[in-house]
Amino acid sequence: MFGRTRRGAAGRGRTMSFAAAALAGVLALAGCGGDGGSDDGSEVEVFSWWTGPGEAEGLTALQALFEKQNPGTKFVNAAIAGGSGTQAKAVLASRLQNRKPPDSFQGHAGAELLDYIKAGQIEPLNDFYDENGLRDVYPKQLLDQITYKGNIYSVPVNVHRSNVLWFNPGILEDAGVDGPPATIDAFIEALKAVDAETDKVPLSLGAQWTADHLLENVLLGSLGTDAYNALWQPGANWNTPAVKGALDDFAEIMKYTTAEAASTDWQGAAKAVVDGRAAFNIMGDWAYGYFVNPAPNGLAKKQGTDFDHAPAPGTDGTYMWLSDSFTLPENAPHRGGALAWLKTVSSKEGQDAFNPKKGSIPARTDGDESLYKGYLEYAFNEWNKPDIELAGSFWHGVTANNKWHTDIDTAVGLFLQHKDPAKLQEALVTAAQNSGR
């Protein structure tokens, strides 16, 4: 789906572009937008799924800056709870279908936005980028992946890493595991050791979407970067022995997890690691803010003692990435307020206020590196390595459109019941064939 070209400055300039085929078929009917809605700047309703610890603090920091910069504009927080936006996206779809859009809504940059563009539900923001000098301060890779036929449709606020293994050092020591496992095979052996030598949960898991998140990490770790990226190309073959092997690994790993529980989102599963109840958790780096931020929204835990991190097994040298962004819906009720919000979101000051709280790094290239400590300093350096390989997160909207995303989630949900990797592969093959790619 994506091609990569690296550029030099500060190592941030890895360039990824939508393959023409990825968009041409999907977006042929894309609306080019207009001046829909009013220029009313008295209010802005911002729709997101940032309600959990870390992410909510980041949104609060952005809101505070926005209100300081725009004292005459009322900020309405329309965030809806539900990890990874599962519930929020359903509500948003209903609002857009009924022509009752919020003034701005959160979306993952990449394939997740294609359906909105195809339906003509969001405006292009080319003029906004030009007026605010944004083309010079965002990495070309991000601009490329939110561009269709020369139009940019959203404003990225951050970059996250999906492939992070969080672990409890004390439990690994008790289990006789010598550090975080670097390969899938070593990971399975470590899970077995924790299960045999301790009374702790080997790998914590929350609601169903966290199993989808685990799946993308196991696919990457088992297949390697090139083969993983190839899965998202038009006409990709999921019915291969290599995919079968990866899904067998996934099935084996799932034997050592907690049972899926809809009432336990990612925070509960991650908290089990820092509380000393689970040895491992694979989750995006938004968990870092939750771990280290002070109470009541954070856990005030210490890296190196309560938890530590490593690349997900088999993925060292690859950055599985995703980016949160905000859009301007067609006919936004308070278009003037929405543009003011996008200006705050896209600013250096806004991104440096938001990202240290959220547990992510700026999408802009000129963020203040001194603000990013601990894990975030590591992420900054990894992202900027000239030889880092890139892979897009399917679960978090980079490589799979909404239908494909939903079909994979359904396949994983069924797998959680039948536990058969062969049936899972069958369903994933069908999902790819029906994806419209």
Side-chain angles (χ1 to χ4, degrees):
M1 183 170 183
F2 296 96
R4 295 191 298 277
T5 303
R6 294 187 175 81
R7 65 179 185 180
R12 281 182 170 272
R14 294 170 302 279
T15 298
M16 300 177 68
S17 61
F18 267 137
L23 290 171
V26 178
L27 302 174
L29 301 178
C32 289
D35 292 333
S38 75
D39 288 330
D40 185 351
S42 65
E43 182 175 316
V44 62
E45 182 191 18
V46 174
F47 188 96
S48 78
W49 54 83
W50 289 335
T51 61
E55 58 193 24
E57 285 195 338
L59 180 59
T60 297
L62 264 180
Q63 177 182 345
L65 179 62
F66 174 83
E67 290 174 338
K68 179 181 176 183
Q69 295 172 335
N70 302 275
T73 303
K74 179 184 178 183
F75 184 93
V76 178
N77 184 354
I80 291 181
S84 196
T86 305
Q87 285 81 11
K89 290 173 188 173
V91 173
L92 177 63
S94 176
R95 290 188 59 172
L96 294 176
Q97 188 174 13
N98 290 294
R99 301 183 183 279
K100 295 181 179 178
D103 295 311
S104 184
F105 65 83
Q106 175 192 2
H108 288 129
E112 183 176 296
L113 296 179
L114 299 185
D115 290 347
Y116 303 124
I117 300 171
K118 178 181 178 182
Q121 292 172 328
I122 53 177
E123 288 192 33
L125 293 166
N126 297 18
D127 290 347
F128 177 83
Y129 271 74
D130 292 337
E131 290 165 4
N132 292 281
L134 299 182
R135 295 181 194 273
D136 295 330
V137 295
Y138 276 99
K140 189 174 183 302
Q141 62 175 332
L142 290 181
L143 297 186
D144 284 348
Q145 65 99 23
I146 58 173
T147 297
Y148 172 66
K149 291 185 176 179
N151 291 324
I152 303 174
Y153 287 89
S154 71
V155 176
V157 66
N158 67 354
V159 169
H160 269 302
R161 184 171 186 166
S162 163
N163 57 318
V164 184
L165 177 71
W166 305 99
F167 62 92
N168 183 299
I171 296 177
L172 265 59
E173 184 176 352
D174 292 344
V177 176
D178 187 19
T183 66
I184 292 290
D185 287 345
F187 187 38
I188 292 172
E189 291 305 311
L191 295 173
K192 290 178 179 176
V194 172
D195 190 45
E197 302 298 331
T198 77
D199 60 354
K200 309 299 183 183
V201 173
L203 176 65
S204 58
L205 201 66
Q208 181 176 310
W209 76 264
T210 66
D212 293 280
H213 185 103
L214 176 63
L215 173 62
E216 71 177 15
N217 275 272
V218 175
L219 286 172
L220 178 63
S222 180
L223 296 174
T225 308
D226 290 343
Y228 171 87
N229 284 335
L231 290 177
W232 313 102
Q233 298 290 337
N237 183 10
W238 284 66
N239 192 25
T240 66
V243 172
K244 178 182 183 304
L247 297 179
D248 286 344
D249 288 338
F250 178 66
E252 183 66 20
I253 289 168
M254 286 294 295
K255 293 177 182 176
Y256 299 94
T257 65
T258 48
E260 183 269 334
S263 60
T264 303
D265 212 332
W266 68 265
Q267 292 94 343
K271 188 172 185 293
V273 171
V274 299
D275 284 350
R277 293 180 285 114
F280 297 106
N281 177 244
I282 290 181
M283 184 44 57
D285 58 10
W286 45 90
Y288 178 75
Y290 175 49
F291 289 159
V292 302
N293 285 340
N297 291 327
L299 301 176
K301 296 293 185 178
K302 299 293 185 185
Q303 181 178 334
T305 304
D306 300 311
F307 72 96
D308 217 327
H309 63 85
T315 71
D316 192 14
T318 300
Y319 207 108
M320 185 182 277
W321 66 279
L322 59 139
S323 174
D324 295 298
S325 66
F326 280 91
T327 62
L328 177 61
E330 283 282 356
N331 299 310
H334 307 92
R335 191 171 183 277
L339 288 171
W341 167 249
L342 294 179
K343 190 169 184 177
T344 297
V345 166
S346 64
S347 69
K348 176 179 182 298
E349 189 179 7
Q351 296 196 6
D352 280 339
F354 172 78
N355 284 297
K357 301 289 187 184
K358 175 69 159 59
S360 50
I361 57 177
R364 292 177 60 116
T365 58
D366 57 355
D368 183 352
E369 291 186 37
S370 69
L371 297 175
Y372 300 90
K373 307 294 186 184
Y375 167 81
L376 295 181
E377 181 180 8
Y378 163 82
F380 226 113
N381 293 332
E382 286 286 298
W383 179 249
N384 290 328
K385 281 183 176 176
D387 60 345
I388 195 76
E389 295 290 333
L390 302 180
S393 162
F394 85 75
W395 180 251
H396 300 285
V398 178
T399 60
N401 61 26
N402 289 338
K403 173 174 172 42
W404 199 355
H405 184 273
T406 299
D407 288 350
I408 293 174
D409 185 43
T410 299
V412 169
L414 291 172
F415 170 80
L416 294 176
Q417 303 302 314
H418 58 62
K419 316 287 187 189
D420 185 344
K423 289 182 179 177
L424 175 59
Q425 184 171 18
E426 245 178 71
L428 294 177
V429 168
T430 301
Q433 291 171 342
N434 295 336
S435 67
R437 297 292 307 283

